[in-house]
Amino acid sequence: VSSEERRSRFGQKSVTVLLTGLTGSGKTAIAVATERKLFDAGRAVTRIDGEQLRRGLSSELGYSAEDRSENLRRGAHLASALNDAGLVCIASFVAPSESVRQRVGNTIGRDRFLVVHVATPVEICRSRDTKGQYAKADSGELENFPGVTAIYESPTEPDLVIDAGKDSIDKCADAIIAMLKEKQYIR
């Protein structure tokens, strides 16, 4: 089955939207809301979450920079396969390294890869932390925690920047859908 046949059947161009941001920024909630809105609109859509991937496909990985990179690499190959099947894939990963995000774009294909920076301020991310990860990182108990004990590099040229501290999850999802329409992945 060709990509043209899938495009005609689904009425969309396959794409992966990578939501990247600090822990607690709202990535997962925004991904869930975006998936729901697209599905309700009749789109062929799915979602990949970095933490969800760690419970299965990447269960042996830790949180070092290398392990985070490997988890994202595996997610990129999964997203690429889903795109090959004609789906819109919403992927939510911390993805703290710009060079790794660039490699993900190359794996998926530049023509079907978009980056959304969920740029929620760290103070708001900390206030949403139900697992106590920021406090553990502050005390040195949790190493390699982007934004505290490890670097988080903001995307240099994101396709969209949203702030779930300022805007509702619903409004952030609507902004992603508007971007997909503007870039003609969906009608």
Side-chain angles (χ1 to χ4, degrees), residues 31 35 38 43-48 79 82-83 87-91:
E35 178 189 35
L38 288 170
R43 299 286 163 217
V45 59
T46 194
R47 183 175 56 84
I48 301 173
L82 293 166
N83 287 162
L87 278 70
V88 170
C89 181
I90 311 298

Side-chain angles (χ1 to χ4, degrees), residues 21-27 94 120-142 145-150 152:
L22 295 172
T23 297
S25 62
K27 297 177 304 296
V94 173
T120 305
V122 69
E123 302 78 30
I124 293 172
C125 296
R126 284 177 176 277
S127 73
R128 294 176 174 170
D129 182 13
T130 58
K131 298 177 188 173
Q133 293 177 301
Y134 280 95
K136 288 177 183 175
D138 289 338
S139 71
E141 183 182 342
L142 188 57
F145 191 75
V148 180
T149 56
Y152 176 85

